[in-house]
Amino acid sequence: MRRQTFSALALIKGALIAHRGWQPQWRKPEPKPSYDAVIVGGGGHGLGAAYYLAKEHGFTNIAVLEKGWIGGGNTGRNTTIIRSNYLFNESAALYDHSLKMWEDLSQVLNYNVMFSPRGVMMLAHTVHDIQVSKRHVHANRCNGVDNEWLEPEQAKEFCPPLNISDNIRYPVLGAALQRRGGTARHDAVAWGYARAADALGVDIIENCEVTGFQLGANGAVEALETTRGLIRSRKVGVSAAGSTSVVLGLAGIRLPLESFPLQALVSEPIKPVFPCVVMSNTIHAYVSQSDKGELVIGAGTDAYTSYTQRGALHINSHTLDAVCELFPQFRRLRMMRNWGGIVDVTPDRSPIIAKTPVPGLYVNCGWGTGGFKATPGSAHVFAWTIARDEPHPINAPFTIERFRDGHLIDEAAAAAVAH
Amino acid sequence: MLLIACPYCGNRPEIEFSYGGEAHLVRAANPALLDDQTWTDFLYMRSNTKGVYAERWRHVRGCGRFFNALRDTTTDHFLAVYKTGEPRPALDGGDA
């Protein structure tokens, strides 16, 4: 099926016929009885994995099964922050692999994901913050990841709305700035990957929930039971975020995951006032401004595990306290919407992209509160893992067995990294 | 915000409590005798149930005591609270 190509010229042509000539961006096929590989979960990570399986590994008979609609989970619920300033070598390699892929993703997919490397600035409010931030700056630079230390005046120069007065509860004592970091349009990531994967023959099947696995005599995966019938496949990649424990539980696999609600909210739209992304992990505020003009604000996780995709108001209220102190001019803004997503958190706050104890069954999970930034890189190495039945060197450390063998990638303990 | 019925203090707002994760995970009397996988299962592996989940709470800004609760993680409704050491109560109609 020939796809329309997007370009400025195509837009102008479209305008001349009142935009009546645009076609659907992907098919809505019925599931086939059998595939060479099946991805469970139609978010950015899953759709991307299907795309790279088709594009780089020659798989042409693939399906993505999505219980709801594509991009309707955490891909559509996050605050779209992209950065790679993680402390440990393993993490830096993984997240920077992803950041580099963001840089030309719009061209690769011929779909504008609106990647905007406007700079991510992480604030320090205590002596401990300063020490940890500087440690991150140095560690990042050793790994070829850009990160620089800013004094408070330099931070204010980079982000003029920032309040650097010393009479607030947690004054700004400095900041670490990753200039290559930024934001992207979350829906466009799902849609861009879906469109590109579909063009390579991938079947994207929505409203299709996996209800069971059929394993062969040797214990390997043979088929999936779904709400739309039995689907045979000897390779299954699960990329189901907060529902991963549930899906892999169907195959008898227990994981080191807990699923928590994570909330975000947006303000009413205003004129452009906010040039970058500002994060404060100590007082818990994440702010950027979308192209529509809304301030996009990330709040924290609720204390308890839940699958409700909503959280408590006091979590948002706590974040707004911090935002109002750092940016007093936002105090009169009204908040327009808030929502929650279910994030799957590992004990060391690093993801799992690995083979499982069941042959032919692979998992990409545990991204916790920070999976969006990793979408292209994660999808890329997950596709490699599925295609070759062995991990890419970048995701080789991110196994399930690391919890048994003691090789944790403990970003949880590396304070100043938001989770 | 959840309203949580502490078995000692009655209904109190969630912000008085801290969450203790999955309940009824029993620490081995002598962990040194465990193999790595069994120890890993105790330390890290969690049921993370979608549905009725037995979990620990601590009324940290109240009486300070731990207790257990059954909560439906698809609705956040509490179905039962019970004291530490008591067995998981059976629910009418079974554990949906």
Side-chain angles (χ1 to χ4, degrees):
Chain A
M1 177 175 170
R2 178 153 166 73
R3 286 284 173 291
Q4 290 176 321
T5 304
F6 291 127
S7 64
L9 188 64
L11 267 182
I12 294 167
K13 281 182 181 168
L16 292 176
I17 54 168
H19 293 298
R20 281 193 293 258
W22 299 113
Q23 299 162 353
Q25 298 299 305
W26 54 86
R27 299 163 293 131
K28 291 210 177 287
E30 287 298 312
K32 288 191 265 185
S34 162
Y35 289 97
D36 295 337
V38 168
I39 304 290
V40 179
H45 288 247
L47 292 163
Y51 168 73
Y52 293 114
L53 272 172
K55 178 84 175 174
E56 300 195 351
H57 302 283
F59 281 71
T60 52
N61 188 28
I62 316 174
V64 177
L65 310 184
E66 165 57 47
K67 176 179 148 187
W69 64 96
I70 61 166
N74 295 346
T75 298
R77 294 166 183 270
N78 68 89
T79 53
T80 77
I81 297 171
I82 295 165
R83 61 188 177 86
S84 64
N85 51 354
Y86 283 72
L87 182 66
F88 294 112
N89 299 345
E90 297 88 343
S91 317
L94 176 60
Y95 288 99
D96 212 50
H97 177 57
S98 193
L99 181 48
K100 285 172 183 160
M101 293 181 71
W102 278 112
E103 287 166 352
D104 64 355
L105 191 61
S106 293
Q107 288 74 29
V108 168
L109 298 180
N110 180 233
Y111 201 91
N112 188 2
V113 301
M114 296 166 71
F115 175 58
S116 164
R118 59 184 69 178
V120 173
M121 194 165 76
M122 300 172 76
L123 302 179
H125 301 276
T126 64
V127 171
H128 175 75
D129 279 358
I130 294 174
Q131 291 167 343
V132 169
S133 296
K134 287 187 175 174
R135 183 184 176 206
H136 274 73
V137 168
H138 296 312
N140 289 160
R141 292 168 81 140
C142 287
N143 278 319
V145 175
D146 74 305
N147 200 354
E148 60 194 274
W149 174 255
L150 303 181
E151 296 298 329
E153 296 73 22
Q154 294 171 302
K156 181 154 180 79
E157 196 176 324
F158 189 72
C159 181
L162 183 64
N163 177 12
I164 57 166
S165 69
D166 59 6
N167 65 350
I168 60 176
R169 176 64 184 85
Y170 289 101
V172 175
L173 301 182
L177 171 64
Q178 185 178 28
R179 293 184 190 270
R180 287 158 65 228
T183 61
R185 171 94 171 98
H186 50 0
D187 293 330
V189 177
W191 299 337
Y193 273 124
R195 171 175 172 270
D198 179 87
L200 295 171
V202 175
D203 282 358
I204 296 166
I205 300 162
E206 296 174 302
N207 299 311
C208 181
E209 179 179 358
V210 173
T211 55
F213 289 90
Q214 291 189 0
L215 308 182
N218 58 353
V221 66
E222 288 197 336
L224 291 157
E225 295 160 7
T226 79
T227 51
R228 297 182 64 175
L230 190 75
I231 298 174
R232 297 196 173 278
S233 180
R234 291 182 184 277
K235 282 181 181 287
V236 176
V238 174
S239 192
S243 297
T244 304
S245 294
V246 177
V247 175
L248 286 186
L250 299 171
I253 298 172
R254 264 169 84 82
L255 290 165
L257 294 176
E258 289 186 295
S259 294
F260 292 96
L262 176 68
Q263 296 183 81
L265 58 163
V266 293
S267 74
E268 56 191 328
I270 51 175
K271 288 184 176 177
V273 291
F274 208 77
C276 59
V277 179
V278 172
M279 309 174 53
S280 167
N281 301 318
T282 299
I283 59 176
H284 221 286
Y286 312 106
V287 190
S288 63
Q289 188 172 19
S290 74
D291 291 345
K292 282 191 286 186
E294 305 148 336
L295 292 182
V296 182
I297 298 170
T301 50
D302 280 83
Y304 47 86
T305 63
S306 178
Y307 289 84
T308 57
Q309 292 189 322
R310 60 174 183 260
L313 190 61
H314 69 274
I315 304 289
N316 292 328
S317 176
H318 175 69
T319 288
L320 291 175
D321 288 347
V323 169
C324 289
E325 187 154 271
L326 290 174
F327 310 102
Q329 63 273 52
F330 295 156
R331 282 181 182 170
R332 283 172 291 167
L333 272 181
R334 280 169 291 198
M335 291 299 132
M336 198 164 62
R337 297 192 305 277
N338 72 311
W339 62 91
I342 300 303
V343 299
D344 44 327
V345 177
T346 57
D348 63 358
R349 303 300 188 270
S350 288
I352 296 166
I353 315 170
K355 299 163 73 164
T356 70
V358 174
L361 187 55
Y362 308 87
V363 66
N364 176 7
C365 67
W367 290 95
T369 63
F372 178 75
K373 65 174 80 70
T375 304
S378 148
H380 181 251
V381 298
F382 191 41
W384 174 297
T385 306
I386 295 169
R388 304 191 181 207
D389 195 37
E390 62 180 23
H392 187 282
I394 288 178
N395 69 307
F398 294 88
T399 61
I400 304 174
E401 291 76 25
R402 74 175 185 265
F403 295 97
R404 182 193 65 204
D405 301 337
H407 296 145
L408 302 187
I409 304 160
D410 201 355
E411 296 287 345
V417 172
H419 287 289
Chain B
M1 188 180 301
L2 304 178
L3 193 61
I4 302 176
C6 171
Y8 305 98
C9 309
N11 278 327
R12 305 296 302 170
E14 176 197 332
I15 49 172
E16 293 187 8
F17 296 84
S18 63
Y19 186 63
E22 185 168 5
H24 306 301
L25 298 172
V26 180
R27 186 186 174 93
N30 191 348
L33 299 180
L34 299 183
D35 63 46
D36 287 352
Q37 191 57 52
T38 311
W39 182 233
T40 304
D41 291 346
F42 167 73
L43 282 183
Y44 296 120
M45 301 298 167
R46 295 294 178 264
S47 303
N48 199 21
T49 308
K50 184 176 187 175
V52 179
Y53 196 43
E55 61 192 10
R56 297 188 307 164
W57 287 87
R58 186 180 177 209
H59 194 188
V60 64
R61 291 174 189 85
C63 62
R65 280 186 272 197
F66 278 95
F67 59 93
N68 293 331
L70 294 182
R71 184 175 52 91
D72 187 339
T73 60
T74 63
T75 61
D76 291 341
H77 287 156
F78 281 91
L79 305 171
V81 293
Y82 52 105
K83 294 175 181 174
T84 300
E86 292 177 358
R88 174 178 171 149
L91 296 172
D92 294 340
D95 293 0

